[in-house]
Amino acid sequence: MTFGFQYLRSLLYIFQIYVAMLVLGIVFAPYALLSKNGARQACKTYARWAIWSARWMVGIRSEVRGTVPTGEVIIAAKHQSFLDILIIFNALPQAKFIMKRELMWTPIIGVYAKRLGCIPVDRGKRGAAITQMVQDVAREFSEPGQLVIYPQGTRVAPGAQKSYKVGSGVLYVGLKQPCVPVATNVGLLWPRSGILRKPGLGTVEFLDPIPPGEPRDVFMTELETRIEARSDALMAELGFDKDELRRID
């Protein structure tokens, strides 16, 4: 398969998933406005379509490993691209996300995110943002669900180094719930920016939960160690050598 042909396929894929987002957003709107379950079904339908069409349009197959949690837990996930969001949301029964505030103002994503109970965070305010996030989470947790947070705060390219932020530790201590780390390698196939999508098997893996009760510093160290080590292993399955990248850099 030539680069040009794969690039064209990627361009068509990106175009159609945005069209699908618009169409499904409009079609499901009456149901979503009346019911949170309607909003969830709309988003599940979209995620399944995007995952399924990625398989035959650009050759990206998706796999979920580990035990998918169904109860009240915190999900702390490695974030490399939009694909890991889709896979995690599709796998979890009642996911709600900690997400950057500016996304809440987008026409389709923002409306549905609010209906699902997603928590906006103003990343520029740091300490104040964490305080507000904890208050918002306490309010939203009046309803059951799995709270998904990205400990690094943003998408991180494979091999790049970015510190884990304190927000996930604050939630872990405050909510007194188990935390399920999640590793992934999808950024090698669906990068955080650009058009080209590469064929291969993209994996999201739910790791063993970290039980509540650990000191925050201990929790943060364990969380980062486990997510990074397993993500590196998953990326190695696709032929990625993180140490080789360091030597090149």
Side-chain angles (χ1 to χ4, degrees):
M1 184 181 299
T2 65
F3 172 84
F5 184 56
Q6 185 66 20
Y7 189 90
L8 177 60
R9 285 167 47 139
S10 301
L11 188 62
L12 291 173
Y13 173 73
I14 293 169
F15 174 76
Q16 67 86 19
I17 63 170
Y18 280 109
V19 171
M21 181 184 294
L22 176 62
V23 171
L24 290 172
I26 293 172
V27 169
F28 275 90
Y31 185 21
L33 291 173
L34 292 172
S35 165
K36 282 192 175 183
N37 184 58
R40 190 168 303 281
Q41 290 305 312
C43 295
K44 290 276 190 183
T45 300
Y46 174 74
R48 289 165 185 158
W49 170 258
I51 292 168
W52 178 75
S53 59
R55 185 184 186 98
W56 63 267
M57 289 191 73
V58 293
I60 298 178
R61 295 167 289 124
S62 299
E63 176 186 46
V64 175
R65 296 183 188 174
T67 301
V68 178
T70 58
E72 299 287 305
V73 296
I74 302 166
I75 307 291
K78 184 74 172 176
H79 187 21
Q80 294 182 338
S81 77
F82 187 44
L83 181 56
D84 55 67
I85 296 177
L86 295 171
I87 297 173
I88 289 171
F89 182 80
N90 188 50
L92 293 171
Q94 290 180 288
K96 59 182 77 173
F97 289 78
I98 304 288
M99 58 193 296
K100 55 186 180 181
R101 185 173 297 276
E102 49 264 39
L103 286 176
M104 303 297 279
W105 299 104
T106 55
I108 302 295
I109 294 176
V111 171
Y112 280 87
K114 290 174 184 176
R115 293 297 291 149
L116 293 176
C118 294
I119 313 297
V121 173
D122 189 341
R123 293 187 299 184
K125 294 185 178 179
R126 298 188 178 181
I130 292 175
T131 301
Q132 185 62 51
M133 178 184 68
V134 172
Q135 294 173 354
D136 292 341
V137 167
R139 184 187 68 250
E140 289 296 339
F141 257 74
S142 59
E143 297 183 13
Q146 298 82 43
L147 181 66
V148 183
I149 186 170
Y150 295 108
Q152 291 171 293
T154 188
R155 291 169 295 177
V156 179
Q161 303 294 309
K162 187 171 180 61
S163 62
Y164 278 53
K165 299 182 182 298
V166 72
S168 52
V170 170
L171 289 178
Y172 168 79
V173 172
L175 293 175
K176 298 179 174 60
Q177 292 179 349
C179 177
V180 177
V182 177
T184 191
N185 62 6
V186 300
L188 294 174
L189 309 175
W190 182 321
R192 63 175 184 160
S193 61
I195 291 174
L196 185 65
R197 305 291 183 260
K198 301 175 183 178
L201 179 62
T203 303
V204 163
E205 183 169 353
F206 292 87
L207 309 179
D208 291 337
I210 301 173
E214 296 285 352
R216 190 173 76 186
D217 291 347
V218 173
F219 164 77
M220 292 298 299
T221 299
E222 182 175 359
L223 181 71
E224 180 172 356
T225 299
R226 290 172 58 178
I227 291 178
E228 292 301 308
R230 191 57 196 151
S231 293
D232 287 350
L234 292 176
M235 290 189 292
E237 293 180 10
L238 294 177
F240 183 79
D241 188 334
K242 188 174 182 180
D243 293 330
E244 184 65 28
L245 180 68
R246 287 201 188 100
R247 288 194 289 272
I248 292 172
D249 291 344

